[in-house]
Amino acid sequence: MALYENPEFFLIIPLIVYLLYLLSRRGKISSEPTNWPLVGMMPAFVQNLHRGHDKVTEVLSECGGTYEVKGPWFCNMDMVFTSDPANIHHVFSKNFSNYPKGPELRKIFEILGDGIFVADFELWEIHRKTTLSQLTHAKFSSSLERTVWHKVETGLLPVLDYFCKQGTDFDLQDIFQRFTFDNICEFVLDYDPCSLSIELPYVPCEKAFSNVAEPLLQRYLIPETIWKLQKWLKIGNEKKLMEASEAFDEFIYPHIRLKNGEQENDFNILKAFEKVYKEKNIGPPDGLRDFLKDTSLSLMFAGRDTTSTCLTWLFWLIAVNPLAEIKIQEEIETQLQLKEDKKWRFFNVEESCKLIYLHGALCESLRLFPPLALQHKSPIRSDILPSGHYLPENSKLIISFYSVGRLESVWGKDCLEFKPERWITQSGGIKHEPSYKFPAFNAGPRTCLGKEMAFIQMKMVAASIIYHYNIQLVEGHPVIPRASIILQARHGLRVRLSKRNV
Ligand code: HEM
């Protein structure tokens, strides 16, 4: 009788698997995933998918900040995870030229085409220079102040007032996403879609941004052949990505109006890119519209999701730390002299810079919930990280920004506490932390170009809300991060408002 025909054979299989499990766990730290034959650490990935960022943090804090993850055999899914500041400094700054985004990332984020987030080398330099020229343009600061305040006055506060009067709860994250979407469209496309209005209209492109974050992360977690098959069959996450891509195209293309050398003012980001596309021969003439669409899409990603996510976590953090909320209220009242005002009162960029405690609170939100939670790098040449880990050429290095902010070794024993004070110097100024320790805005030559813009926007929005309303969380509503590239609150942030200062 053949072995497999014997029923006892099938009883032995679970026993062998269990013994292999015990063997594989010898001498391991408690949170370390088991490396199974054939499937590698895949089962641990799947089991912890819903709390991926926390699982990674547990493992990284127990093993000193860097960990080698083994994927299934023959699937090219092995990766090194790190949150060690020395490694971050090494990769993002000191050895920047050896760590481009790489072709693997371009494949995973193909939806972004030739936009700045996936560009490397010369194309990236062109993107960076052109975007920077607009963000430092003489007209930028006043235009930003005007558009942000206009949106606060005509969109944000009327909508919040409506919910406040109705006494109904609503999703504050959705409100922030609409706010930042309208704002960034105005900057990039010179068009305000007014997604933030009392009717809360459904704008497919606006929602598509939220719909792609999870499917993109999952492309990292399943073998390429499988997601490519899903794409071919137009099913599952890949279907979601295709639908989102269509929504982006339908929204953006009609707003790309080629200037063809028209003499207009030089403060127009797409016009600046049109000029540079032609001057630098980036592609064929009929590729210009696609290039401008890709450029717009990356900038819209940059502007919508990051800022709205930071604001969402800020409001959750101050709702669960009411003392901090009181301190922010006091600061607004003393620094902006708003006490006597009965109406919504404009305050400018200069005044918002006086809000030091609020700045610290925003930094805490970014430290504990960095909107871009992960980064992916791929060395061109093999390298040894300062932690001693070896990286073969073209291997995958995943940097967890989420974990850096939660490591005791980096931020001290109180690392999980919300303490805006840690960002304030003894003389009352804003404390600077090196980007390898606080990488929410990235580190090195690819540091975020919109950092100042984001702080201005976030302070104007947060101060306007905190000055006018008390915010209560809806009891029992779970507020947890999404397992995605962008660290949105998975079920939103449901709140109720009551009026202050009336
Ligand atoms: C709280 C808000 C923000 C955070 C936390 C943030 C964070 C980041 C991070 C982590 C990167 C690196 C991304 C990568 O290389 O994959 C980045 C890049 C970038 N960000 Fe921001 N960002 C914010 C707001 C903005 C805003 C409002 C803009 C305005 C358009 C902006 C524009 C950019 C651009 C253009 C890049 C690409 C830089 C490059 O690759 O050279 N960001 N940002």
Side-chain angles (χ1 to χ4, degrees):
M1 186 165 63
L3 185 60
Y4 58 82
E5 288 175 36
N6 186 340
E8 279 161 19
F9 172 73
F10 292 98
L11 291 176
I12 291 170
I13 292 179
L15 191 66
I16 294 174
V17 171
Y18 185 62
L19 283 174
L20 276 172
Y21 171 77
L22 290 181
L23 270 174
S24 68
R25 295 214 60 86
R26 271 191 320 173
K28 292 205 162 172
I29 54 171
S30 60
S31 58
E32 194 168 353
T34 303
N35 184 13
W36 296 97
L38 199 67
V39 290
M41 296 178 180
M42 187 87 159
F45 268 126
V46 175
Q47 198 188 348
N48 288 286
L49 206 55
H50 61 291
R51 54 180 295 276
H53 296 296
D54 285 318
K55 177 70 187 171
V56 168
T57 307
E58 269 166 35
V59 176
L60 290 177
S61 40
E62 274 194 54
C63 70
T66 306
Y67 186 75
E68 286 174 50
V69 170
K70 296 284 173 203
W73 295 355
F74 315 116
C75 285
N76 186 27
M77 282 178 66
D78 289 359
M79 0 182 173
V80 173
F81 273 74
T82 191
S83 58
D84 179 341
N87 288 349
I88 295 178
H89 193 42
H90 175 91
V91 168
F92 286 82
S93 303
K94 282 190 185 159
N95 293 278
F96 175 72
S97 59
N98 193 35
Y99 287 91
K101 298 271 179 127
E104 189 71 20
L105 180 129
R106 230 181 141 83
K107 222 183 311 172
I108 290 178
F109 289 87
E110 61 190 344
I111 200 163
L112 295 177
D114 280 328
I116 187 167
F117 280 117
V118 289
D120 276 318
F121 312 114
E122 206 191 332
L123 182 60
W124 165 70
E125 275 174 29
I126 292 171
H127 268 296
R128 187 156 179 107
K129 234 169 134 180
T130 315
T131 309
L132 188 65
S133 74
Q134 295 293 305
L135 292 171
T136 50
H137 194 284
K139 291 184 187 155
F140 178 72
S141 181
S142 57
S143 149
L144 176 71
E145 193 176 86
R146 222 176 323 108
T147 41
V148 173
W149 186 256
H150 178 73
K151 195 63 8 202
V152 169
E153 210 176 16
T154 60
L156 182 70
L157 292 175
V159 169
L160 297 187
D161 233 37
Y162 171 79
F163 282 117
C164 185
K165 281 186 188 133
Q166 297 287 312
T168 47
D169 65 86
F170 63 97
D171 179 7
L172 191 56
Q173 177 168 260
D174 178 49
I175 301 296
F176 290 146
Q177 287 170 345
R178 289 168 184 271
F179 183 97
T180 50
F181 179 71
D182 287 355
N183 247 211
I184 197 71
C185 286
E186 182 94 47
F187 172 58
V188 179
L189 303 175
D190 205 8
Y191 160 72
D192 179 354
C194 294
S195 72
L196 182 57
S197 51
I198 288 170
E199 309 77 46
L200 298 182
Y202 176 72
V203 180
C205 175
E206 192 270 320
K207 287 286 162 273
F209 283 100
S210 299
N211 296 343
V212 298
E214 245 157 339
L216 284 176
L217 183 66
Q218 292 188 16
R219 277 191 174 182
Y220 277 101
L221 304 179
I222 55 175
E224 188 180 332
T225 38
I226 298 195
W227 67 253
K228 284 209 162 147
L229 181 68
Q230 284 186 339
K231 186 176 168 192
W232 186 68
L233 294 170
K234 299 188 180 146
I235 55 168
N237 277 330
E238 293 301 316
K239 187 170 172 222
K240 282 191 202 163
L241 286 172
M242 281 174 179
E243 285 166 356
S245 181
E246 273 168 33
F248 294 143
D249 288 359
E250 274 169 29
F251 183 84
I252 298 174
Y253 276 118
H255 294 288
I256 294 177
R257 287 179 287 271
L258 301 184
K259 309 285 179 204
N260 291 321
E262 281 170 39
Q263 282 306 307
E264 276 184 33
N265 74 62
D266 59 349
F267 180 50
N268 178 309
I269 195 155
L270 289 190
K271 190 181 168 208
F273 271 101
E274 180 179 338
K275 193 161 162 245
V276 92
Y277 184 89
K278 290 172 184 164
E279 276 172 12
K280 304 260 178 197
N281 282 323
I282 293 177
D286 62 358
L288 173 60
R289 281 172 64 78
D290 294 339
F291 177 71
L292 294 181
K293 191 270 291 179
D294 293 346
T295 301
S296 309
L297 184 57
S298 273
L299 291 171
M300 286 160 75
F301 254 112
R304 174 195 184 257
D305 284 331
T306 49
T307 317
S308 58
T309 301
C310 176
L311 281 168
T312 301
W313 289 111
L314 171 79
F315 276 88
W316 180 75
L317 285 162
I318 58 177
V320 295
N321 291 279
L323 272 181
E325 186 181 5
I326 293 170
K327 285 189 185 166
I328 299 174
Q329 285 165 352
E330 284 169 359
E331 181 178 67
I332 296 169
E333 280 163 13
T334 46
Q335 294 298 337
L336 304 187
Q337 282 117 39
L338 290 175
K339 219 168 187 168
E340 301 309 315
D341 280 309
K342 296 276 184 273
K343 282 190 187 158
W344 300 332
R345 185 279 218 172
F346 168 75
F347 55 94
N348 58 27
V349 171
E350 212 183 311
E351 287 174 297
S352 72
C353 292
K354 293 182 192 159
L355 302 175
I356 305 289
Y357 191 85
L358 177 58
H359 191 98
L362 284 163
C363 289
E364 280 295 83
S365 168
L366 291 163
R367 178 179 70 84
L368 291 164
F369 297 98
L372 268 150
L374 297 171
Q375 275 279 18
H376 172 181
K377 292 279 183 182
S378 189
I380 305 178
R381 294 173 305 279
S382 63
D383 193 16
I384 298 177
L385 295 174
S387 59
H389 293 79
Y390 173 73
L391 296 176
E393 65 176 48
N394 299 326
S395 55
K396 281 187 206 150
L397 175 68
I398 308 290
I399 304 97
S400 167
F401 288 172
Y402 181 82
S403 306
V404 190
R406 289 163 180 260
L407 286 188
E408 205 177 302
S409 56
V410 180
W411 289 96
K413 282 220 173 311
D414 59 358
C415 60
L416 298 181
E417 289 172 38
F418 173 69
K419 281 193 174 170
E421 291 79 7
R422 78 172 94 227
W423 293 93
I424 302 174
T425 61
Q426 282 195 335
S427 57
I430 294 163
K431 192 170 168 196
H432 172 79
E433 290 290 1
S435 52
Y436 50 82
K437 181 178 168 189
F438 177 56
F441 290 103
N442 222 25
R446 288 195 89 132
T447 293
C448 172
L449 284 170
K451 185 175 169 183
E452 301 311 319
M453 172 178 176
F455 270 115
I456 288 167
Q457 229 183 4
M458 294 190 298
K459 282 185 185 174
M460 281 181 141
V461 169
S464 305
I465 299 180
I466 295 170
Y467 178 71
H468 288 102
Y469 303 100
N470 287 312
I471 303 122
Q472 294 108 40
L473 296 179
V474 170
E475 234 175 89
H477 179 77
V479 185
I480 45 170
R482 251 175 151 188
S484 84
I485 302 277
I486 306 283
L487 208 66
Q488 292 149 340
R490 184 189 297 177
H491 308 289
L493 180 67
R494 295 214 74 86
V495 299
R496 228 173 252 121
L497 300 182
S498 55
K499 202 104 175 131
R500 284 183 79 237
N501 287 311
V502 279

